[in-house]
Amino acid sequence: MYLKSLELIGFKSFGKKCTLEFSTPITSIVGPNGSGKSNTAEAFRFVLGEQSIKSLRGKRGEDLIWGGSSEVPRSNRASVKAVFDNTKRLLDIDFDEVVIERVVYREGTNEYLINGSKVRLKDVSNLLAGANIGASGHHIISQGEADRVIVATSRERRQIIEDALGLRVYQYKKEESLRKLEKTEENRGQVEALRHENIPHLRFLERQVKKLEKARVLREELVYAYHEYLKHEEDHLQFERESVAGLREEPSREIREVGKRIENIRSELEKTKKGNKESEALLTIEKRLSELRTEQTTFARSVGRIEGQISFEERRLEDEKKKASEEEGRPISYSTVRSFWDELTLILKERDDEEDVDMLKKVLKEARRTVAAFVGHHLVKTEYIPDTSILLRLQKEKEFAETKSVDISKDILEQEQRMRLLSEEIEKEKDESREIERELFTLIAAQTELRSTLAKLDARESTLRRDEDEFKREIGEGIVLIGRQIQGYKDFVPKDDHTDLGLDDEKERTLQTERRRNLEKMKIRLEEIGGASADEITKEYTEVKERDEFLEKELVDLEQSAELLRKLINELEKELGEKFTQGLTEISTQFNSFFALMFGGGSASLTLSEIKRKSKSDVDTMLTDGEIPEEDDTQAGVDISVSLPKKRIQSLMMLSGGERALTSIALIFAMSQVNPPPFLILDETDAALDEANSRRYGDMIQNLSEKSQLIVITHNRETMSRADILYGITMGIDGVSRILSVKFDDAVTVAK
Ligand code: ATP
């Protein structure tokens, strides 16, 4: 025996606790009409998880709770406990005894418990399904419901048969898999949407990263270009420094000697001039020339110095302009515009009705002043004009020094001309005594020559200084652009060795100018790419990319699980189909023999209904009627066909009440025979049977009780006689149902 007992507290008419023990194969429940017999059958449905209150003859959960009478107050909860012997592990749970309990409260909430632990309805359903017991299953035949299996549609009938065959588990599993599949598809949709959302950002970052890569390559190129340029420049400067110093040595020494000699001759001539007018003139010219040349050197130097200052000033102004141009296009903040607007509104406020022209003019003037001030303020910001006064002053100074220098050169030329004339005059005299003057001429000519050589060296040196400054400046700028790496130029090794380092010729300088131009171009290109922080972008890119990859993987995983679920559903459907077809054949055979037994002949069978493909016009009618045509018609329903002995009937509907009851019983018993449920509850299934059939019914339940425990609610004496235990249910004036064990002889009386 699997079912041990049923305990009812506050359930329907069971206002007080009652327990029914089921220790024998057949238990019969008897009692007068309205005493509460059917309530016990419903208590079974209830505790096994029935969700339709209507099928428990109520409207709300509350209707299932003892409603009270004048003697016994109403209850707040109804509870039913079903106790199972589980030593044979009928239920898939590791307990020898399993107590399933359901409680309903007045406000409608339900509680489910397995061995005292709260569980979900689903847990109860799953546990029972595994044991071929269900809430509204085939094994609880309620009063008047016996022919349910006959009046049901062929599809409903299929479900009842599936239930009876214990195939509900497959349905549950299939439904669960379908739910999971739906959830998986939903997740997939979400993940896809997330990925889709992520894409523009990812693409943006990809572009940034590419740009950064470009910048990195360009920067590397720039480093190389810098090193190459600076290395050549340094070599050139070194070469220049050495050559200028080397070339200066001899003329410097010579000019010192020539100077000394001229000095000596001058003092000699001072002593011997004695009224010699040529000598006197010669000395004057020489003195003047010497002064002029000193002056010229001073001016030449000052031109050089001013030129240096000018180029510095020009660069400074250029930088300032550049900085100012960066300011241009910078947006004006909203708060600035807002406060300007507020100011303007304040001036113009409530002047709409002003009629005094003078007043209006005043307001207009004030408004214009405010607008001008705003525009003016921001104009200064955007159109920056640097102060060039210093540059202009320097240019003037240079101009002055140059003019001076030109004037002096003219004077020098004049003096030299005079000296030449004088020298010719002296030459003509062919006087031995003029030897000293001749030497002076030669020396002055030599001095002129040497001075010009030295002046050229001076110019070269000043260019050198400028180039040295430029070199230092270039390194400074390089540090800003590429950092300490700039110092690497010292160890520069050319990529291709046909570049001649240290070769200082015109060709090399042209090449160097070309390199310089290239360097500037690269700097501009690098600036254009912009200075986004490489670390930040790369970090963000990696993160976003990783997220995308994660989502992609997630999609693959979800697709895989969806595929597995689809496969599982297919397998379940296949297995269900196979088991169903086999079970149906078996039930049909049993049905046929029970039917023949009940009717003393004839035949009955179960067949799969033909799948009727809906015609297009049918579908259209359904759609216009607001119905949704069922797509899945692969699951055919089950049809019943019967043939009574000596009668020709076309439809089940043509059977008499008794015949219908017999047919139903035959089918119910056939189902129980093929897959015996642990217990079977029959609520007045025998009501419509005549004496002869009651006997056959009695034989059959006895036969069935070998495989299933039977609980029969009955008024039928024959049925009662087959029971091992009889419970009488009575209801006193307090409206509470009570249970008492009765003997067979008393039962007949109790039942009345
Ligand atoms: P019959 O032989 O006529 O089929 P029965 O013994 O099966 O009768 P039930 O239908 O089980 O009788 O019981 C019906 C009785 O239960 C009614 O008297 C009804 O008033 C009572 N009843 C139903 N619900 C409640 C409730 N919530 N509280 C109190 N009594 C209830």
Side-chain angles (χ1 to χ4, degrees), residues 12 33-39 57 63 65-67 143 715:
K12 288 202 156 187
N33 291 135
S35 58
K37 301 184 297 296
S38 294
N39 290 344
R57 292 182 296 165
D63 298 338
I65 303 171
W66 163 246
Q143 195 178 357
H715 288 290

Side-chain angles (χ1 to χ4, degrees), residues 381-641:
K381 251 195 161 174
T382 50
E383 284 179 26
Y384 182 80
I385 301 157
D387 179 6
T388 51
S389 59
I390 298 175
L391 182 69
L392 289 173
R393 180 175 57 75
L394 286 170
Q395 275 165 347
K396 266 197 196 122
E397 273 178 28
K398 187 188 162 199
E399 219 173 279
F400 172 76
E402 276 171 347
T403 330
K404 264 300 199 200
S405 193
V406 171
D407 289 350
I408 294 166
S409 298
K410 269 190 210 150
D411 279 358
I412 290 174
L413 276 177
E414 208 177 293
Q415 295 303 326
E416 280 175 350
Q417 181 65 21
R418 281 179 63 192
M419 176 119 33
R420 237 189 328 275
L421 290 173
L422 197 62
S423 120
E424 276 164 16
E425 233 171 85
I426 290 170
E427 261 325 291
K428 272 185 229 154
E429 287 182 19
K430 302 259 183 211
D431 189 343
E432 277 298 305
S433 65
R434 297 288 177 190
E435 198 50 45
I436 192 154
E437 276 94 348
R438 255 181 237 118
E439 194 188 346
L440 187 57
F441 289 135
T442 321
L443 283 172
I444 288 172
Q447 200 184 33
T448 308
E449 187 77 8
L450 285 167
R451 270 184 202 278
S452 118
T453 309
L454 284 171
K456 272 185 205 139
L457 285 172
D458 273 352
R460 219 169 132 180
E461 198 167 286
S462 118
T463 310
L464 176 65
R465 297 279 162 260
R466 239 195 2 251
D467 288 352
E468 275 174 343
D469 281 353
E470 193 52 34
F471 181 73
K472 276 185 209 144
R473 200 187 63 80
E474 200 59 70
I475 289 181
E477 205 179 292
I479 288 175
V480 176
L481 279 169
I482 60 167
R484 288 274 142 217
Q485 248 183 310
I486 195 80
Q487 299 297 355
Y489 75 89
K490 287 176 183 143
D491 311 312
F492 171 76
V493 184
K495 269 187 202 155
D496 25 42
D497 45 21
H498 56 260
T499 335
D500 287 327
L501 274 176
L503 186 83
D504 187 67
D505 57 14
E506 222 172 293
K507 220 167 135 198
E508 167 57 27
R509 286 320 277 165
T510 321
L511 253 177
Q512 191 68 337
T513 315
E514 186 55 38
R515 284 185 197 119
R516 174 74 193 259
R517 206 171 293 143
N518 213 10
L519 198 61
E520 293 306 322
K521 274 192 215 155
M522 280 169 133
K523 283 185 207 166
I524 292 167
R525 265 166 61 206
L526 199 63
E527 227 163 68
E528 275 169 2
I529 289 180
S533 159
D535 283 355
E536 252 168 55
I537 294 279
T538 317
K539 194 171 156 242
E540 200 179 345
Y541 173 70
T542 317
E543 276 171 17
V544 173
K545 179 93 189 139
E546 270 171 10
R547 183 163 160 69
D548 184 63
E549 279 163 5
F550 169 77
L551 290 175
E552 193 184 2
K553 202 178 151 278
E554 193 88 332
L555 273 182
V556 173
D557 287 353
L558 284 169
E559 184 41 56
Q560 269 170 3
S561 24
E563 194 48 48
L564 282 176
L565 282 168
R566 274 186 223 112
K567 225 173 119 191
L568 180 68
I569 291 165
N570 269 340
E571 277 165 13
L572 283 169
E573 269 173 355
K574 199 170 156 236
E575 206 171 333
L576 184 67
E578 280 167 11
K579 288 215 154 100
F580 180 75
T581 316
Q582 196 197 340
L584 188 71
T585 317
E586 285 174 32
I587 292 175
S588 184
T589 315
Q590 290 290 337
F591 179 37
N592 186 47
S593 59
F594 277 119
F595 187 86
L597 194 76
M598 293 291 249
F599 286 95
S603 65
S605 66
L606 298 176
T607 45
L608 278 176
S609 32
E610 290 226 342
I611 299 164
K612 285 189 220 104
R613 293 243 166 231
K614 290 184 186 77
S615 69
K616 193 180 174 307
S617 64
D618 278 351
V619 171
D620 289 347
T621 333
M622 284 177 93
L623 285 171
T624 32
D625 290 351
E627 283 179 63
I628 295 160
E630 236 172 295
E631 293 283 327
D632 173 29
D633 51 6
T634 48
Q635 278 215 332
V638 174
D639 287 337
I640 301 176
S641 48

